[in-house]
Every structure is written in structure tokens, then in C-alpha cells.
Amino acid sequence: MENMRDTGSEDTLAFEIAGEDRPGRWVVTCDHASNRVPNWVNGGDLGLPAADMARHIAFDPGAEGVARMLGAALDSPVIMGRFSRLVIDPNRGEDDPTLVMKLYDGSVIPANAKVGPAEREERLERLHRPYHRALGDLAARRRDTAVLSIHSYTPQLRGRPPRPWHIGILSADEDRRLSAPLLARLATEKDLVVGDNEPYGGHLPGDSIDRHCLIPGRPNVLIELRNDLIETEAQQAAWAERLAPLLAAALAGL
């Protein structure tokens, strides 16, 4: 049985670790793996319709499956957030104004409209901080840890043009040790449209990569996959199989 660890009962669950004892150099992260709303947050309901909770504003569809499969392929542990980014975003610093979103891609989040300091602190203490403590401990298990962060993005934001990229490779300008060789290898994949810091910029102060990689100096890369390309388990497996050797080759040079 695959080794996994969490923080306790379902209602207190902040993270899950799969393959904690794997010896590989990578730590694979999936900040936005889940759209779960704990019962202690507004009765487990943010006031959004089910269709909104099933789309990219609530989590990164397909990313968890890719992360799990890449972790297995790279023989490395995987840590996944087990709460919706709309409850509190684990990929934001504690002082980021978008930590608790009140409006996202045209949808108002009713349960967040009047979130004050006390409720924000409770969500930090029960979800955000446990996730980051666990990620920090996992990354510290080896001195040469490299971090691979898996995300997905919507093919088109409301009122915006379609996004042409199949995959985006994100990194901060000050550390492209992994992104540069990975981009070079992906450039040979002629069927792919690859974004370099697209569809998002590669660095937000206080985000997961900043906190666990840039500040302590760990090699890192963040991969964004278009979520319509990883809807099924078969698609997720195909991307993991395709990316694992490219990632291994990129890391082998460090």
C-alpha cells in the first residue's frame, strides 16, 4: 500500500503526503489539489454553485493525478493540499491580499465576503500553516532537494482570449537552473506549444516556491498544464510519462 500521511480526521485534513519514504531527490507539490471545504468553514459551503466548485477557481483540475504519477515515476514524495484555494490559498503568502479571494474569474464567493481577521487567522492556523510546515519538513529531508510544483490552468478566462499553450514552465528570474534545461528539452517536442512564464509570471513574493525554494536556495520548477488536457486518468498518465524523463534529465545536470 502506498505510504501516505495526513493531519488527522477528514474535517481537520490540511494535507496529504504520498510516498513519504521514497528516496528520490524531488519533492513534488500540488498546492491546489482539492476543492474540499471543511465543515467548520461556513458549514462546508462557500455559497457557490456546484459548477463553480468544480472549475479552476476552486482547485486545479487534473493536477493531483499528474502530481501523484510523477511522484511515483520519479520515486519521490508528493504533498497535496486538501482544502480549496477559495477557503485559503496555500500558494500565497500570509500577507497577500488574494489569500482569501472574494471574487475570482467572474464569481463572487459569498462565504468570503465578510471574512475578518479572526476567521482569516483560523483558516491560516488550521490549514495554510500545517500545509507549509509539512512541506518544509519534507523538503528538508535531503540537503539536495529539488522542488517540482504541479498546477493546472483553465483554457480561457471569462471574457479573455483562449490560451494557446499546452504547458507552461514557470520560474523566477533569479533561479532558472531547472526551468532553462527543461524548456530546452520541451522545445524539441514539436507538437507542443510551450510557455516560458506563461500563462502566469513565475514569481510571487511569499508564494510556495519563494518560501521553500528561492529563500533557502533549492532548485525548483513550476509546471502549469492546461486542464482540458488532463481531464482523464489516461491523459494524466500520458503527461506524467512524457515529463518524467525530461525532468530527470534536467535535474541530472545539477
Side-chain angles (χ1 to χ4, degrees):
M1 183 181 224
E2 185 177 43
N3 177 39
M4 57 179 61
R5 176 165 64 88
D6 60 48
T7 57
S9 69
E10 179 66 19
D11 198 45
T12 61
L13 194 63
F15 65 88
E16 177 186 336
I17 298 175
E20 186 171 8
D21 295 330
R22 291 174 185 154
R25 184 176 170 186
W26 296 95
V27 168
V28 182
T29 72
C30 191
D31 296 338
H32 301 146
S34 177
N35 62 355
R36 188 180 69 90
V37 180
N39 287 332
W40 53 268
V41 177
N42 202 53
D45 187 349
L46 295 177
L48 286 167
D52 267 346
M53 291 302 298
R55 69 189 189 98
H56 73 100
I57 65 170
F59 73 126
D60 282 356
E64 178 178 347
V66 176
R68 286 184 181 274
M69 293 175 192
L70 277 169
L74 297 168
D75 201 19
S76 295
V78 184
I79 182 167
M80 296 155 283
R82 291 264 68 98
F83 52 94
S84 173
R85 66 192 299 171
L86 294 180
V87 175
I88 192 162
D89 194 333
N91 195 34
R92 297 291 185 271
E94 292 194 13
D95 58 352
D96 192 303
T98 65
L99 183 67
V100 179
M101 294 289 281
K102 298 183 179 182
L103 172 69
Y104 194 180
D105 194 24
S107 293
V108 174
I109 297 87
N112 290 348
K114 296 182 179 179
V115 169
E119 186 171 354
R120 180 180 178 277
E121 178 64 21
E122 183 178 21
R123 296 185 191 187
L124 279 167
E125 188 60 27
R126 296 181 68 169
L127 297 170
H128 192 279
R129 290 172 185 150
Y131 174 78
H132 282 286
R133 282 194 295 268
L135 174 49
D137 290 345
L138 199 61
R141 84 198 196 292
R142 293 181 56 144
R143 296 184 64 181
D144 62 349
T145 292
V147 174
L148 167 62
S149 185
I150 300 297
H151 292 255
S152 72
Y153 63 95
T154 184
Q156 185 173 11
L157 291 167
R158 289 176 174 174
R160 303 285 185 87
R163 291 162 156 174
W165 308 280
H166 300 110
I167 182 173
I169 306 302
L170 277 56
S171 62
D173 290 339
E174 58 264 42
D175 188 356
R176 292 177 62 85
R177 286 176 290 174
L178 278 173
S179 63
L182 181 58
L183 283 163
R185 287 168 172 81
L186 285 168
T188 68
E189 309 277 318
K190 300 304 182 184
D191 60 323
L192 295 182
V193 180
V194 180
D196 182 357
N197 280 332
E198 297 285 359
Y200 306 110
H203 178 222
L204 281 174
D207 68 7
S208 292
I209 292 293
D210 188 37
R211 179 171 180 171
H212 298 287
C213 302
L214 299 180
I215 293 172
R218 295 186 179 109
N220 63 90
V221 65
L222 189 154
I223 293 179
E224 288 271 5
L225 289 161
R226 211 175 69 203
N227 65 31
D228 61 326
L229 303 178
I230 51 172
E231 291 177 334
T232 68
E233 186 175 339
Q235 289 174 313
Q236 294 160 15
W239 273 102
E241 183 178 357
R242 186 173 196 173
L243 289 171
L246 302 180
L247 286 158
L251 185 61
L254 298 182

